[in-house]
Amino acid sequence: HIGKNHGKRGDLFIQIEVMEHPLFERHNNDLKYICRISMALAALGGFVEVPLIEGGSNKLQVPPGTQTLQTITFEGLGAYSIETGNRGNMVVEFFVQTPSNLSKEENRLLSELLALEAKKDT
């Protein structure tokens, strides 16, 4: 529009705020997803379904012996760059959960494992 008192046209300023996503953290064009896994899955390995930003999921193999903060990267599954149009990566970071409410059977099995570990260390 024309400025005040029929002055020159002015500049248009637009401010965009990006809301936080409930599942992903954004780091530039990379996305990070924290994947919570059980101690058993971390120790033995297996598969988990990891959500994708555009919907759906991707099957991910959890390597045996996975540790908390260990990561796996999916190249090109991150956010799009405004400047280049290229996509960043999606980084899956594992968090190994320690159970707090064990059943009697789980307690018995973990006690056996602890005894085996103690024998191995001697």
Side-chain angles (χ1 to χ4, degrees):
H1 293 288
I2 296 175
K4 285 186 180 180
N5 301 322
H6 300 291
K8 292 172 37 177
R9 295 177 190 265
D11 295 328
L12 173 66
F13 295 97
I14 299 174
Q15 181 176 344
I16 298 174
E17 280 187 47
V18 178
M19 294 173 46
E20 288 188 26
H21 193 279
L23 298 176
F24 301 100
E25 293 177 23
R26 186 171 181 165
H27 303 277
N28 296 317
N29 295 324
D30 292 338
L31 299 175
K32 180 169 84 170
Y33 173 72
I34 297 176
C35 183
R36 300 176 189 286
I37 58 174
S38 68
M39 289 179 6
L41 182 58
L44 300 174
F47 291 91
V48 292
E49 291 287 328
V50 175
L52 299 174
I53 191 71
E54 62 269 351
S57 62
N58 208 353
K59 196 171 194 177
L60 173 64
Q61 184 172 6
V62 179
T66 295
Q67 302 295 311
T68 291
L69 302 181
Q70 187 172 329
T71 62
I72 292 180
T73 301
F74 291 108
E75 292 188 21
L77 291 182
Y80 286 96
S81 167
I82 293 173
E83 291 87 21
T84 66
N86 295 332
R87 281 184 88 170
N89 299 322
M90 186 173 107
V91 178
V92 177
E93 181 178 277
F94 293 104
F95 180 83
V96 181
Q97 295 181 301
T98 304
S100 55
N101 297 319
L102 296 173
S103 68
K104 287 182 181 180
E105 179 69 5
E106 290 168 327
N107 198 328
R108 182 186 67 74
L109 290 169
L110 284 174
S111 295
E112 286 180 28
L113 178 61
L114 187 60
L116 286 171
E117 288 173 348
K119 283 183 186 178
K120 190 167 77 172
D121 291 339
T122 57

